[in-house]
C-alpha cells in the first residue's frame, strides 16, 4: 500500500473584490491518498481530469449565499463543474474507466471518493470531441446558450440581437445561433482581439465596451429585439432603453455585481418593462435541462455541429490544479480567451 | 339650424405630482356644435356616452412621453378609452345608432366628428351587460387581466399568487382567475374596505399595504409563484425577493412612479432574476389582442361569466363630464372603488 499526493484547492478567505490567488484560494499539497486501499463504502473513487473555471465560483465566495449553490466554506475545497475518470467502484451503475461529468459538486482536488452517483452523470462522449469541450460548448455553457436561446429568444429573421461577453464560452455560441436565425447581431467584449474573434463568428457590429459607449452603439444600431445580458446594472438599463416593443431579454448572470462587496448595481429603467411589453427571462441551466426533450436534443445536435465546425468554439486550457486561482482571476477580469478549463491530469 | 353646447375636458398644465382639478385639467363649455349641419367629410359624428378614467392618463400628462401613446398637448382635450353612439355617418361601415368603443382616441368631449373608423371598434354588446362594463371587466381592464393571465401566469394548482391593487378593475379579476386556477392568493390594497372586498372575491390572505408591511406578509405566506405587479419600485423588489425559483412576474403599470416628477423608483434586486430563473412579462393590452384567437376567446368567455356572476365586478360610476378631474384624482389616490367610469350622457 502506497500513498500518493492528493492536492486540493482550498477556499481560504472571503474576497473584498477580485479574489487573490494564494490568499482567497490556496493550493494545498499536504494530503495524500492510498488509491488501492481507501475504503469506498459503496461509493467510487474518481481521478479528476478537467475542471471548469466559471464566474459563478466568485459569487459563491461571498458569505451568506443561501440559494441552492450555497457559499463556499472556509478551509474546504472548492467545487464546481468538472470531469473525472472512475478508478474503482462499489456502485453498481458506475464502472471503472468511465468518465463522469457535469456535477457542480466535482471537488477541486486530484482524487475524490464519492458516496453515490448523485448529480454526477456518466458521460457519453463523441469520439471526435476532446473531453474538455464537455465543460464548454458541449457542456454547461453550451447548454445555457443553446437551450436558453431555444426556449426564450423567439428569434425572427431580420430582427436585431445584442450579445454581451460575445467572446465568452456562452456568448460566442449565442452570436452564431443568432446569425443562423437570420438576425443582425451586435456583440460586445472587452478587448480588440475579442472584437476580431466576434467578427469571425459573424457578428455584424462588434465593439469593445471599454472604449466605445454601449448606449451609443445601441442607439445607432438598435432597437434590439433579443438582448443576451451577462452584465446587469447599467448595461441592462441600456438594453431596456433601446429595446424594441415586445423584446426578449435573457438575463444570464450579473457580472457587474460579482466582484463587488458593496451590493448589486440597481436598475433605473424597469418602468419601461411594462410600457414596452418586454419579456425578461432569468437563465439558469438546471430548469432548462428539466424541460422535456431539451437535454436529449442538445446531445443529439450540439456535439455533431461542434465536430463539423458548423458551430465554432475556442478553449483556453491551463495545465495544473495549482493554476486555478490565476485562471479564476483571468476569467473575472476578462483576460482569458474562450472557455477556461484547468487540466488536472491527462486521461 | 341650432347649436348645442359641446363641453370638453382640456389639458391645461403639467402636474408636479397629483393633477389638480380645475388647474391641471379644466372643464370647458365655451364651444358649441350644430349636430344637424356640421360637415362630416366622409366621417361620422359621435355622442360620447361613457369615458374610462385610467392611471395611464396621468402618465400622458408628463411632458416628453415619446411612446405610442404620447404626451397630452396643453390646450387640447384629453383622450382615452370611451364609448359613444353614432348620430350621423358618411362612413359606409358605420351606421347611425351603433355604439363604438375602445379606442384610446376617444376625445373627452360631448360630441366629436371622427374622420374614419381608425382604431374605433363597433361594439357587439351582450344584451344583459351595461355599456359601462365594456370600459371595465368586459373592456380593456378585463382584457388585460384575462388575456395577460392566460398568456403568462402559467398557473398551477397549489401555487401561490400575489396580486397588488387587488380591489381595482384589473386586480379584482386577477384574484378570481387565480382562485379558479386553484392557487393560494395573497392580495393587497390601500383600505380596510378594499381588503374586505378582496376577501369576498376569494383572496386567502388580504391586507392593507398602508398598515401592513408587504415584505413581512410575503416572507410569511410566500414564496410566490405568480406576482401581478401594478406598483413597481419597492414592491417589485419585495416580489422578486420572495419569489420562488421559476416564478412569473407580470409587470402591469408602475403606479409608484406615476405621480412623481423626480423619476421612476429603481429596482435593487434585479440580480435575483437570473439566480432564481424568474420570468418577467411587461403587460400591455395591445400586443395581447394581437395574439391569434385571444380577443375572440375574450368576447366568447368574459361577458358570459360576468352576466352569470362567475366573475364578479364592481363599477364606480360618476355622472357628468365636469367630474373627470375629481375622478382622476380619486383613481390616482386609490379612494375610488371598482372601475372608474364617467357617464357623460344617457343612451
Amino acid at each position: 500500500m502506497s500513498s500518493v499526493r492528493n492536492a486540493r484547492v482550498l477556499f481560504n478567505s472571503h474576497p473584498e473584490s477580485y479574489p487573490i490567488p494564494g490568499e482567497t484560494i490556496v493550493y494545498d499539497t499536504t494530503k495524500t491518498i492510498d488509491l488501492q486501499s481507501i475504503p469506498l463504502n459503496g461509493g467510487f473513487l474518481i481521478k479528476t481530469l478537467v475542471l471548469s473555471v466559471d464566474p459563478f465560483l466568485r459569487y459563491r465566495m461571498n458569505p451568506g449565499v443561501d440559494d441552492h449553490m450555497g457559499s463556499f466554506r472556509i478551509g474546504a475545497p472548492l467545487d464546481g463543474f468538472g470531469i473525472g475518470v472512475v478508478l474503482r467502484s462499489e456502485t453498481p451503475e458506475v464502472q471503472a474507466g468511465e468518465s463522469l461529468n457535469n456535477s457542480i459538486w466535482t471537488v477541486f482536488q486530484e482524487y475524490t471518493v464519492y458516496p453515490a452517483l448523485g448529480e454526477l452523470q456518466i458521460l457519453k462522449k463523441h469520439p471526435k470531441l476532446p473531453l474538455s469541450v464537455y465543460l464548454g460548448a458541449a457542456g454547461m455553457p453550451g447548454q445555457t446558450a443553446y437551450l436558453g436561446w431555444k426556449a426564450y429568444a423567439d428569434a425572427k429573421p431580420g430582427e436585431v440581437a445584442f450579445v454581451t461577453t460575445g467572446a465568452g464560452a456562452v456568448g460566442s455560441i449565442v452570436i452564431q445561433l443568432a446569425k443562423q436565425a437570420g438576425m443582425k447581431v451586435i456583440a460586445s467584449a472587452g478587448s480588440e482581439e475579442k472584437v476580431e474573434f466576434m467578427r469571425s463568428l459573424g457578428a455584424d457590429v462588434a465593439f469593445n465596451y471599454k472604449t466605445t459607449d454601449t448606449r451609443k452603439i445601441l442607439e445607432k444600431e438598435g432597437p434590439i429585439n433579443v438582448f443576451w445580458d451577462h452584465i446587469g446594472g447599467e448595461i441592462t438599463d441600456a438594453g431596456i432603453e433601446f429595446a424594441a416593443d415586445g423584446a426578449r431579454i435573457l438575463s444570464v448572470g450579473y457580472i457587474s455585481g460579482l466582484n463587488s462587496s458593496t451590493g448589486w448595481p440597481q436598475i433605473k429603467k424597469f418602468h419601461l418593462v411594462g410600457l414596452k411589453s418586454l419579456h425578461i427571462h432569468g437563465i439558469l441551466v438546471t430548469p432548462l435541462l428539466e424541460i422535456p426533450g431539451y437535454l436529449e436534443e442538445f446531445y443529439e445536435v450540439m456535439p455533431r455541429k461542434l465536430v463539423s465546425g458548423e458551430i465554432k468554439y475556442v478553449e483556453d486550457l491551463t495545465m495544473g490544479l495549482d493554476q486555478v486561482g490565476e485562471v479564476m482571476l483571468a476569467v473575472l477580469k476578462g483576460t482569458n480567451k474562450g472557455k477556461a478549463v484547468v487540466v488536472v491530469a491527462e486521461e
Side-chain angles (χ1 to χ4, degrees), chain A residues 9-13 19-27 61 72 78 324-326 328:
Chain A
V9 178
L10 300 176
F11 182 54
N12 191 57
S13 66
I20 303 167
E23 184 177 314
T24 311
I25 58 179
V26 170
Y27 178 66
M61 292 177 192
F72 288 125
L78 302 186
V324 167
E326 295 292 347
M328 183 81 237

Side-chain angles (χ1 to χ4, degrees), chain A residues 63-78:
Chain A
V65 174
D66 59 358
D67 62 26
H68 53 285
M69 293 195 288
S71 292
F72 288 125
R73 198 161 49 78
I74 287 179
L78 302 186

Side-chain angles (χ1 to χ4, degrees), chain A residues 23-45:
Chain A
E23 184 177 314
T24 311
I25 58 179
V26 170
Y27 178 66
D28 172 80
T29 57
T30 59
K31 294 279 182 185
T32 61
I33 185 170
D34 188 316
L35 300 174
Q36 280 72 47
S37 68
I38 187 167
L40 301 182
N41 298 317
F44 49 89
L45 173 63

Side-chain angles (χ1 to χ4, degrees), chain A residues 42-342:
Chain A
F44 49 89
L45 173 63
I46 277 194
K47 177 186 180 186
T48 305
L49 299 177
V50 284
L51 290 171
S52 177
V53 180
D54 296 296
F56 78 85
L57 298 177
R58 172 62 186 82
Y59 170 63
R60 296 179 63 198
M61 292 177 192
N62 292 329
V65 174
D66 59 358
D67 62 26
H68 53 285
M69 293 195 288
S71 292
F72 288 125
R73 198 161 49 78
I74 287 179
L78 302 186
D79 59 73
F81 288 94
I83 305 177
V85 62
V86 181
L87 297 184
R88 292 165 48 215
S89 174
E90 292 174 356
T91 302
E93 63 268 44
V94 176
Q95 310 300 323
E98 280 181 333
S99 290
L100 296 178
N101 88 332
N102 251 10
S103 167
I104 70 160
W105 310 117
T106 301
V107 182
F108 278 40
Q109 59 188 6
E110 290 178 292
Y111 303 97
T112 307
V113 174
Y114 292 86
L117 199 55
E119 300 199 24
L120 289 163
Q121 295 170 343
I122 297 169
L123 178 64
K124 292 183 188 64
K125 199 176 84 64
H126 190 293
K128 292 188 177 166
L129 273 187
L131 201 58
S132 54
V133 179
Y134 283 85
L135 293 178
M140 185 274 283
Q143 289 160 2
T144 302
Y146 183 92
L147 299 178
W149 184 264
K150 174 181 165 73
Y152 300 116
D154 192 17
K156 299 176 192 76
E159 285 190 340
V160 179
F162 173 41
V163 183
T164 55
T165 64
V170 176
S172 60
I173 295 173
V174 173
I175 289 174
Q176 298 175 75
L177 294 172
K179 283 311 295 176
Q180 290 172 16
M183 301 181 84
K184 168 179 160 179
V185 177
I186 307 167
S188 66
S191 75
E192 295 307 316
E193 194 180 0
K194 289 178 177 179
V195 168
E196 275 313 304
F197 175 54
M198 296 190 297
R199 282 208 188 94
S200 78
L201 296 175
D204 300 282
V205 180
F207 68 100
N208 180 345
Y209 71 85
K210 291 179 179 167
T211 56
T212 305
D213 183 349
T214 296
R215 292 184 68 260
K216 287 199 175 138
I217 293 283
L218 296 184
E219 187 168 20
K220 176 161 176 262
E221 304 288 348
I224 57 178
N225 305 95
V226 176
F227 173 23
W228 190 280
D229 179 15
H230 280 117
I231 309 297
E234 283 182 22
I235 299 298
T236 301
D237 273 328
I240 290 174
E241 181 176 357
F242 296 106
D245 286 354
R248 287 75 67 196
I249 298 177
L250 289 80
S251 178
V252 197
Y254 211 86
I255 295 175
S256 62
L258 270 185
N259 298 298
S260 162
S261 56
T262 59
W264 298 88
Q266 303 189 9
I267 298 295
K268 298 175 183 170
K269 303 279 184 186
F270 195 86
H271 60 284
L272 294 175
V273 171
L275 289 169
K276 292 187 181 187
S277 196
L278 305 181
H279 302 278
I280 302 177
H281 299 279
I283 302 294
L284 281 183
V285 74
T286 313
L288 291 169
L289 300 181
E290 287 166 0
I291 303 175
Y294 265 47
L295 187 58
E296 293 76 2
E297 176 178 325
F298 177 79
Y299 281 128
E300 161 66 25
V301 171
M302 199 66 169
R304 184 167 44 78
K305 289 197 175 187
L306 294 170
V307 168
S308 73
E310 198 181 334
I311 293 181
K312 299 187 187 77
Y313 65 92
V314 174
E315 293 186 291
D316 190 342
L317 301 181
T318 305
M319 309 303 291
L321 187 60
D322 57 325
Q323 296 299 306
V324 167
E326 295 292 347
V327 174
M328 183 81 237
L329 198 55
V331 165
L332 291 171
K333 294 198 163 176
T335 55
N336 70 308
K337 242 177 49 185
K339 171 60 200 165
V341 172
V342 166

